Amino acid sequence: MTAVAASPAHPWTADPYAAALRAGHGPLYLLRADGARLPLDVARWCARPDAADLSVLDRCRGEILDVGCGPGRMVAALARAARPALGIDTAPAAVARTRASGGTALLRSVFQPLPAEGRWGSALLVDGNIGIGGDPSALLRRVAAVLEPGGLLIAETAPDPVDERFEVRLAGAAGAFGEAFPWARVGPAALGALARRGGWRPVDRWTVDGRAFSALRRGAR
């Protein structure tokens, strides 16, 4: 397939990303300017939730917003359990796959107006989505505005002690495509420090199968 350049504002709408979701597997990467590749585990995203995912879902309470839901495995699992949940994603192919799997999803960025703002009980930022926008502090402020007072955010972090901001491009077997866009990686300690400065209260931290998670409580506005 010929690569089609993505809009800088919507890099995840590029055809190779959509093709990977339709196929259910990669290879797909985030390619840094220094040549380093961050693998995107499309096959896991398109499978049923694994033990690490279930450890997240078991901790959620109330109505759940999955930010950057991808192909929707978490939202679909919640729907099967009759738990109220909504996924949002900027990729039409991701939203379509979420809906096809039985989940509810909107084609929306977290930084756009969302339904029930200020009333969500839990929010998810898994699969590296704490990196959205390249500014975790701004993302935490936005999620705080979406959650109800005392609401829970569960974020998946890098397992190692990193705190970095950089630009990336999507890349597959045929090379890179689309425009560069900002991304971030933070480890558990870095996220905890950012959260405390932003008025969040860290309440839990755990790892499953090498994946690291942190749970944060939203403070009063």
Side-chain angles (χ1 to χ4, degrees):
M1 176 178 290
T2 301
V4 177
S7 161
H10 300 288
W12 301 98
T13 62
D15 279 358
Y17 177 60
L21 291 187
R22 287 193 295 269
H25 58 82
L28 200 67
Y29 310 91
L30 295 179
L31 179 66
R32 295 173 50 145
D34 62 5
R37 299 191 303 180
L38 304 177
L40 301 177
D41 197 347
V42 177
R44 179 172 59 77
W45 297 353
C46 291
R48 290 280 184 118
D50 60 16
D53 297 328
L54 294 176
S55 77
V56 170
L57 297 180
D58 287 346
R59 287 169 166 81
C60 292
R61 297 293 181 268
E63 297 186 342
I64 302 154
L65 180 69
D66 187 358
V67 178
C69 66
R73 73 186 187 284
M74 306 290 266
V75 177
L78 291 164
R80 289 192 295 271
R83 300 178 66 185
L86 173 69
I88 59 170
D89 205 286
T90 59
V95 171
R97 182 155 181 154
T98 300
R99 292 172 177 171
S101 67
T104 302
L106 291 178
L107 185 64
R108 201 74 55 87
S109 163
V110 67
F111 294 106
Q112 294 176 309
L114 297 174
E117 292 207 13
R119 300 197 299 274
W120 292 96
S122 302
L124 305 180
L125 284 168
V126 298
D127 302 327
N129 284 334
I130 189 63
I132 289 173
D135 185 346
S137 294
L139 183 57
L140 288 174
R141 288 194 297 270
R142 176 59 183 142
V143 174
V146 168
L147 287 172
E148 66 186 9
L152 182 72
L153 168 62
I154 299 180
E156 183 172 356
T157 68
D160 45 327
V162 297
D163 186 6
E164 53 185 1
R165 318 288 182 266
F166 45 87
E167 287 198 335
V168 293
R169 297 170 68 198
L170 283 167
F177 53 87
E179 300 289 339
F181 57 96
W183 202 251
R185 291 181 72 236
V186 295
L191 178 61
L194 290 171
R196 291 183 183 92
R197 289 198 293 269
W200 293 84
R201 179 168 57 90
V203 294
D204 199 2
R205 186 187 294 181
W206 69 100
T207 60
V208 178
D209 295 334
R211 295 170 61 194
F213 303 93
S214 295
L216 311 172
R217 286 281 178 198
R218 174 195 173 285
R221 289 194 180 93

